[in-house]
Amino acid sequence: MLSLGSGGGKAAKPSFVSYVTPEEIRPEKETAKEEKHPDLLPGEMVFCSANTVLKLTHDEMSQHGVFGTLLCTNFRVSFTSAEEPGDVMAPLFKNKLYGENDIPLSCVDSIYGVYEDKRKLITGSFVKNKYPSKIIIHCKDLRVFQFALTFCKEEDAKRIFQGIIHHCLEPKPLKNVFAFSFCENTAFPGVQMQQRTMMFEQVEDWAADLSRTKGNCQLFTANENFDLSQHLPQFFIVPPNVSEADMMAFQGKGIPLWCWSHQSGCALFKTASLPLLPEENDQNAFMDKMHIAVADNYLCSVKIEDLSDTLPPIQDIQLSYNKFKQLFLIENTNDFWVSDMKWMSSLDTCGWLDTIKQCLQKAVQVVECLEKENTNVVIMEEGGSDLCCVISSLVQLMLDPFYRTLPGFQSLVQKEWVAGGHNFLERCNQLHMKDKENVSPVFLLFLECVWQLFQQHAPAFQFSETYLTVLSDSLHVPVFCTFLFNSPYHRASNFTADSPHVHRGPVSWPTVWDWSVQFDCKAQDLLINPLYVEKPKQPGRPSHRSKHQRQLSLPNSVFKTPPKKGFFKEEADSLKKILRVKRISRWMLSPDSPQPSSSIREFYEMWQSKPLDYHGLLLPCLEGPAVRVWMQRYLRWIQEVQIFGGGLVTVLSKMSDLLDQIQGLKRQLDCHDCTLALTHQRNWAQIIPAESDRSSVRLSSSFPFTNMRHNWSYKPAFPTGFLQTFMYSGDMADKEDDAPETVV
Amino acid sequence: MLTGSKTTFKVRQMLPDIKERMLSQSGVNARSRDVFGLRCLPGECVLQRAVLVRKKLTAREGRGWLSGTLFCTHFRVAFVPQDSPKPDDNADPVLLGDHDVALASIEKVVAVGPSRTKLVTPNSSLKFTPEELVLYCRDLRVVCFLFDRLTPDTQVLEITYTIAKTYQPLKPGSVLSFQNAALGSVEMKQFLSNRRRGTDMNWFESSADWEHELERCGATGWRVSSVNDRFEMATSLPRFIMVPQKVLDTELKKSFAHFNEGRIPRLCWRHPRGSDLLRMASFQNNIYHEKDDIRNLELILFGAQSSLCVVVELGEELPSPADIQVAHSRLRALCLGDISTSVSVPDDKWLSTLESTRWLDYIRSCLRKASEVSCLLRGGHLTVALQEPEDRDLSCLVSSLVQIMCDPHCRTQQGFQSLMQKEWVMAGHRFYNRFNYHRDNDKEEAPVFLLFLDCVWQLWSQYPYRFQLTDDFLLALHDSVQLPLFSSFLANCQRERCKRTQHSSQSYTPVNGWRDLLPPGSASDPSDPPLPSVWDWGLQYSKQRLARFTQPVAPTPPLQTLLNGNLNTNPDTHKLADTIPGSVFLLSRGTFSCPANLLPWRSGGAGGGSSGVYKKSHRRAPSSENVPGLERLLKAWALAEFPQSLAANSGPQGPLDPYEPLLPLLMGPCMGLWRECYLRGALHAQAFSHPISANHPHPVERLAWEVQQLKDKLALAPTSSDANSPAKRAESRRVVDTNLNQNTNNGTFLFPASRPQGRDLGVTREVPAPPPCVLHASRAPPTASAPPARTGSKHNGGNKHTFLFGHSSATEARPDQRYYPAPNNAKLPKSNGSSVAS
């Protein structure tokens, strides 16, 4: 994430074909020689730099670049220029770690070199002596930079090019990631991040979550030092009947790990599936045992969902995302016009939206099982930490309003993704490994799904669209420990290896949730959704679930109190057995039956028949064109599609206007009553109307990511004045031979 | 069966069998009205009813199901919810209740049985008892009724048959019988003839209306000519046209022959910067013998500008009506889906299919053309003439889009209605043929107007707060088109409309002999009922719906009345003498050119060498090759051509120029699909989207309501010593009252004194806090069913709204400054407890 404030109006995305050769524009500014270094972060060091690099910008019509210095540090590729005009206004939304012309190293997606008008994708193996006249850098946050090296000294150019290639594309050890040197040199005062975010690094967090959802599973602490298995989290929760011996059996694979309990008692589990071979009776028996253990959790029923059967493999997800993002990595305007002709069909063909839809659909199916059937659900896939994380987090987001608050959402990511062992390091390819097999934007896929939910039910979420966008960018800022490791074990082992010679505990690592590392207070307010409908206060009821959700759970009343003791016991046991046999078999046999679609429809109808409760169950609409493109994330750098003075921003600023008014009126009323009981204050209202009211017409739809000041003047005007001057001055004929001439 | 009107029971215009049935069962009817509560129109008869029916609600209605009773009258399919409030017998009749469907807008009736679905036609018989009845409407609604198990089978079958029989698909003459069914009764006729027109919009009927428009746009140099008063010069033109002052009527008369259908260049609108927007048909007669002829033609074409004219050819780049028709029917097929054919597009192909309908493409090209023209006009001091061969389809569309983009007045409800009246109804868009109400002329059918509405919606969705009208209004207009009841749409030009009203008694003789059943000697003429205008919204919609036609919060920047062209910046317009014809350019495909035969009289032979030696030349604007759209060009010139006057105050801090055209973005990602219109019916889409209940109005609406409440409270608060003293308040009431009076007299003065600097009337200078009593009458507390803060008085809803808007902005402007120092920069404490949460 970067804000465009500081740079003074050069669009971050150079997207224009040069009609003017750089020779023509090369100004007499040779004087601006002195190197201007960016403010380096603690622990950041410059590897190489080159002067008089031309950053090509798309600025009005005349293509002119900005001369400056290109640096490559251990954190970023940075471009600084003395030419850029100073900023008049303080930027609203500035990232403290990197500026608009900085690219964190792990944010680099691909680099192209232009050799004599031929564009070539640069892989690690480059020719030592050749350097391109122009470098094009595609970033993972979809910015595109173009740097011309034609005016550099030859050795400078060579060095910077090779430096950038080396540091951005070559594999490197984990220890070289900037976060390590950053944290060695920075004192993070006490990690004062959102206290309410549960990190799930302590056993208390797990216990709290279990009790919050009233689950009746058992919490395991035996793996605290990863003695049991390195694949399992430090702490985890399993069904009551799973023993420690079971965990040893297959290195922790196949163990159903508790994710969340529905208030009816049924729960969602995820598991890493065993490679099931038909002849391997051990494994089959083990799996059966595990399933029965899950079924015993509630009502003796379980549904097992193998995600690898129904969802695309992560490699396909990567492929479709690669196709999709090409639509937005625009180097010049022409590209965009060309793609624009077939915009919708190209959206369809890349299949990314369809992937999103499938994930949401799967999550809805699981929600249905939990909510309507009150069945325990086990989702499984090979690693148990990719699509399982997506689906389980989505399910919880739909069912549990707590996770739709800001701290709740952060806790959810901590629980399912960080503690749940998603392979962030491999999936994001932070180390630039050549082997791209394991790279896949799974977490981004999750954020996309959340965004889809968000855009359909905005008032239900406490965080804003901007929050999601920023979070998706932070994935590629190598400062936070959150996204740096493959599993809790990986993380712990790096910490322990680290701590002897650093003398500082792992505590000092910033997590991404510590938003003050990236943004100041004012900007952080933009991460809050002003439309959020707060939960009405219900005194004496700490439960997070609302009434109608309870009503939805139909079978509750029937099986509410399964007879457990006394003379009913035997009967109950036999009943259990019957149920177990029946229900398990049923669920295991019919994952692909045609039933689901119609039953899902019924489920939707049931949900629709109740008034929408933003603190209850939320279901996404998935039909037809309901799944949309996340405009803010993908289109924010493309000026052509920014609506000036329109779009959602106007709604938000209108609301802030109204909130202002309400404040004012309330104050007036208070004055009347002479009771100046001024209650707590929320800053959001002051963010957008910082330029006074009525300013909404000047914000662009990609607010807060682009600077409106510059865009405003881009408002198209038709060249009539141009025509007229010709007409009036009457010298058109002099200028052009075939110009029309007015004769009396 | 029952008849429900407060008037007497009438059996009129019934098919014999239905009539018999009604009579035979009439014994039941005595008390049934109380039970089922359908309020019939005068003369309306209920043909069939079914109890215990559930209706599927759309997103706007809150989703879910509503149970009640289903009726089929000979005008509509009516649904009365179980616990709906008892109808008020004294209220004016509303043609269609909130849950009703007019028979004429039904396109298809599909019965869904336990295992099968069947399209029900008047002649078909069902072999099963339907569980569900699906009505596909022409306006893209799909209405779905579900019968309960307890609904008697006979009722289910009968009502299905009755609906299928009476909706009368594609039968010539059905429109007329429908009109008669709806409006033909004596009471209804009386009611309609007593109905007064809204005075707050411009109807463009009298010459005074046209004069008023001239004045409003400050079009000096133009006059209203009544040369076509008897439609002798051009049958399709309105009686009055706006022409240059310099041309006398006698001179004007000679020009008509030179244009297709006599549609000579007429003024549509003047931009505040002094540019004129004209429209005309293609040149017709290529013989120009007389110098005078040519002089007149040029004078008309150049209008008041005399220096530069740009002809915008609309035929080339815009879709033809036939294209539009094809695209629309494809879009329809995509959006509606169809139970009976069960053809549906797989989701992963949805967008591609949408693209291949080309509907969005056409919208895009129309908006692009309108943006080009708007930008041209904005440059100032030139004439832009829209030229289309017939000047009756796309020039209506483009000229009104341009005005919506440039003129804030046209973005208010009243202004928009006036605009429609001017550019479509009066200008002779062939509504009647284009909508093909009689289903007798399929070749001519083309929903140009619907394309236009979608264009407006695109603009609206990109800049919602620059409009005073809402998408609800657009949707209502969209739906009314399918109801063949309105004089606005039932004729091709003003002449036809006039004819109808003048000679209505002779214009139609019944074909099918139904009239024989009429009781002889009925007092009024049995001919066609007087048709209302579509702008008489009170006929169609309840007040709750009407209140949603306008934004709850005043648009930004505040809309003002047009400043009479005083934005003219450079006074040196008349550099060239009046008699000198200027130059003409053709704008086509985003470039200017000057083809030799642009003005036929100037080109070579026929034109004669003496009138103007015009070099045959062809000049292309630079860098226009390979520009897929003009946008790039526009951007390129933006800075260079930024007018000085604007540049001065157009920094981010400066006030926004209200006449800065709203330019829509046209790139693929920015074009939206009007879901509320096209997808509201689609069953598959309905099945999965969330219910928006009435308890959750848009947050903006709720906040606006809260502001209003606080203001009310403040006004009521026991005041101590400051400005709200009783005397002052009394005065304020008086002032506001005067204000109101002015509004009624002067339809265009919509937003009095919205900003301090916007005041141009002395009376409104003191607009203080509002009178509390009025506010309380008009702002009811929110209830579960009705949206808050939206009511209107009975007769002049428009005025009431005017008042509300004027009031809110006035208080915004004044007391804010009075009570606390700086509302915007001071960090105001805020208790948000009740604002968003609740």
Side-chain angles (χ1 to χ4, degrees), chain B residues 446-468:
Chain B
V448 183
F449 188 64
L450 300 186
L451 183 72
F452 164 71
L453 287 181
D454 201 335
C455 292
V456 179
W457 181 84
Q458 301 285 350
L459 261 181
W460 180 88
S461 68
Q462 290 189 15
Y463 302 95
Y465 285 99
R466 305 291 294 277
F467 281 78
Q468 186 232 358

Side-chain angles (χ1 to χ4, degrees), chain B residues 37 55 63 73 77 85 164 186 194 212 255 264 353 365 370 452 463 650 735 777 816:
Chain B
K55 185 196 179 208
R63 304 266 182 215
T73 77
V77 175
V186 184
N194 287 338
H212 184 237
S255 318
I264 57 167
T353 322
S365 57
F452 164 71
Y463 302 95
S650 71
V735 171
D816 277 7

Side-chain angles (χ1 to χ4, degrees), chain A residues 425-467:
Chain A
L425 194 60
E426 279 181 11
R427 297 289 177 255
C428 303
N429 199 16
Q430 310 264 30
L431 303 181
H432 317 300
M433 291 302 168
K434 297 285 174 199
D435 178 19
K436 301 270 172 88
E437 184 87 332
N438 289 322
V439 179
S440 186
V442 183
F443 187 67
L444 179 64
L445 176 68
F446 165 65
L447 292 182
E448 271 269 16
C449 294
V450 177
W451 182 83
Q452 300 291 344
L453 271 173
F454 173 85
Q455 59 110 0
Q456 291 182 19
H457 305 281
F461 293 87
Q462 197 190 11
F463 48 88
S464 68
E465 180 182 20
T466 308
Y467 173 85

Side-chain angles (χ1 to χ4, degrees), chain A residues 19 340 345 348 668 680 698, chain B residues 352 355 632 654 668 687 819 830:
Chain A
Y19 292 111
D340 188 47
S345 41
D348 267 355
Q668 264 173 283
H680 61 286
R698 300 190 192 285
Chain B
S352 320
E355 187 178 75
R632 226 172 78 178
Y819 288 109
K830 164 183 169 297

Side-chain angles (χ1 to χ4, degrees), chain A residues 127-387:
Chain A
V127 189
K128 282 282 178 208
N129 289 324
K130 271 175 86 179
Y131 67 94
S133 56
K134 198 161 88 172
I135 318 177
I136 304 171
I137 302 180
H138 287 186
C139 302
K140 286 178 180 165
D141 59 9
L142 302 164
R143 288 177 296 167
V144 177
F145 287 94
Q146 301 184 60
F147 298 111
L149 299 178
T150 16
F151 305 105
C152 304
K153 285 193 215 103
E154 198 179 323
E155 65 267 31
D156 270 2
K158 231 184 261 173
R159 207 174 53 226
I160 191 79
F161 174 65
Q162 292 183 358
I164 289 176
I165 298 299
H166 180 78
H167 292 291
C168 296
L169 300 180
E170 289 295 309
K172 58 180 171 184
L174 180 61
K175 285 280 163 350
N176 284 4
V177 171
F178 177 64
F180 285 87
S181 63
F182 182 61
C183 298
E184 277 173 31
N185 292 287
T186 324
F188 281 97
V191 193
Q192 287 180 351
M193 58 178 174
Q194 314 266 346
Q195 294 300 340
R196 289 171 299 166
T197 301
M198 296 197 276
M199 302 303 287
F200 290 93
E201 284 164 0
Q202 311 297 326
V203 69
E204 292 83 19
D205 286 346
W206 288 96
D209 206 48
L210 187 61
S211 72
R212 188 181 67 84
T213 57
K214 303 195 181 69
N216 54 354
C217 299
Q218 51 170 335
L219 177 57
F220 250 83
T221 53
N223 201 29
E224 185 162 6
N225 299 317
F226 302 98
D227 301 331
L228 282 177
S229 161
Q230 299 179 353
H231 299 285
L232 289 171
Q234 263 176 306
F235 309 102
F236 53 91
I237 297 170
V238 291
N241 293 346
V242 177
S243 65
E244 203 166 310
D246 294 331
M247 286 162 209
M248 312 295 276
F250 294 94
Q251 296 107 37
K253 282 189 178 178
I255 300 288
L257 300 175
W258 174 90
C259 297
W260 186 75
S261 280
H262 190 257
Q263 94 268 357
S264 67
C266 61
L268 173 68
F269 297 88
K270 64 179 175 187
T271 179
S273 59
L274 295 173
L276 272 187
L277 305 169
E279 64 272 17
E280 293 266 4
N281 285 329
D282 298 0
Q283 296 190 1
N284 279 333
F286 178 73
M287 289 309 282
D288 282 349
K289 190 180 165 195
M290 286 301 116
H291 294 156
I292 288 167
V294 170
D296 277 341
N297 176 51
Y298 177 72
L299 273 187
C300 313
S301 62
V302 63
K303 178 173 180 176
I304 294 128
E305 181 70 56
D306 193 344
L307 296 179
S308 44
D309 290 347
T310 45
L311 291 179
I314 57 167
Q315 287 79 16
D316 287 6
I317 293 173
Q318 165 75 359
L319 280 181
S320 71
Y321 179 67
N322 272 346
K323 271 192 236 162
F324 180 71
K325 78 180 173 200
Q326 290 309 323
L327 292 176
F328 306 99
L329 288 167
I330 306 295
E331 276 158 40
N332 59 53
T333 332
N334 254 345
D335 285 0
F336 194 69
W337 293 117
V338 171
S339 74
D340 188 47
M341 298 287 118
K342 312 186 290 312
W343 169 254
M344 291 190 168
S345 41
S346 35
L347 274 185
D348 267 355
T349 45
C350 51
W352 175 247
L353 293 181
D354 201 46
T355 311
I356 295 168
K357 188 180 296 184
Q358 286 179 36
C359 286
L360 284 167
Q361 214 149 22
K362 182 60 67 186
V364 169
Q365 282 171 18
V366 175
V367 167
E368 189 201 351
C369 289
L370 292 168
E371 177 80 26
K372 196 174 136 201
E373 324 271 352
N374 292 141
T375 314
N376 296 302
V377 178
V378 178
I379 49 177
M380 57 199 269
E381 70 177 325
E382 199 188 325
S385 61
D386 289 308
L387 292 171

Side-chain angles (χ1 to χ4, degrees), chain B residues 61-250:
Chain B
E61 297 161 342
R63 304 266 182 215
W65 297 88
L66 197 64
S67 51
T69 311
L70 184 66
F71 298 88
C72 176
T73 77
H74 61 320
F75 160 65
R76 57 179 164 166
V77 175
F79 178 80
V80 178
Q82 233 160 24
D83 44 0
S84 64
K86 204 168 167 290
D88 175 15
D89 278 347
N90 297 319
D92 285 344
V94 173
L95 289 179
L96 294 169
D98 289 345
H99 300 286
D100 299 354
V101 182
L103 288 178
S105 56
I106 296 177
E107 185 168 50
K108 223 171 3 180
V109 179
V110 175
V112 182
S115 55
R116 46 186 299 199
T117 58
K118 187 171 194 291
L119 187 70
V120 192
T121 60
N123 304 321
S124 60
S125 63
L126 290 173
K127 295 193 181 68
F128 59 94
T129 310
E131 289 177 345
E132 220 173 291
L133 189 64
V134 186
L135 307 180
Y136 286 89
C137 303
R138 293 186 207 290
D139 53 18
L140 289 155
R141 270 183 303 167
V142 177
V143 187
C144 180
F145 296 107
L146 199 67
F147 297 112
D148 195 88
R149 269 171 305 151
L150 296 175
T151 317
D153 277 4
T154 49
Q155 278 188 3
V156 173
L157 281 173
E158 284 301 317
I159 202 159
T160 310
Y161 287 138
T162 315
I163 292 173
K165 275 207 182 83
T166 43
Y167 86 93
Q168 290 159 336
L170 308 182
K171 209 161 69 181
S174 60
V175 168
L176 266 166
S177 61
F178 173 77
Q179 285 164 5
N180 276 308
L183 311 170
S185 72
V186 184
E187 292 86 349
M188 207 59 198
K189 280 180 185 172
Q190 215 158 27
F191 170 72
L192 285 177
S193 56
N194 287 338
R195 201 117 176 121
R196 281 202 6 251
R197 286 197 153 167
T199 50
D200 38 14
M201 63 170 278
N202 195 339
W203 292 83
F204 290 96
E205 294 205 323
S206 67
S207 75
D209 288 348
W210 290 90
E211 296 278 3
H212 184 237
E213 175 73 0
L214 271 187
E215 198 184 319
R216 191 187 72 86
C217 355
T220 48
W222 294 84
R223 68 187 177 91
V224 175
S225 163
S226 57
V227 69
N228 197 34
D229 194 25
R230 307 176 64 113
F231 306 109
E232 280 163 343
M233 307 313 299
T235 49
S236 64
L237 282 184
R239 302 168 94 120
F240 305 102
I241 51 180
M242 299 194 276
V243 294
Q245 250 166 5
K246 285 171 274 186
V247 190
L248 302 176
D249 273 0
T250 45

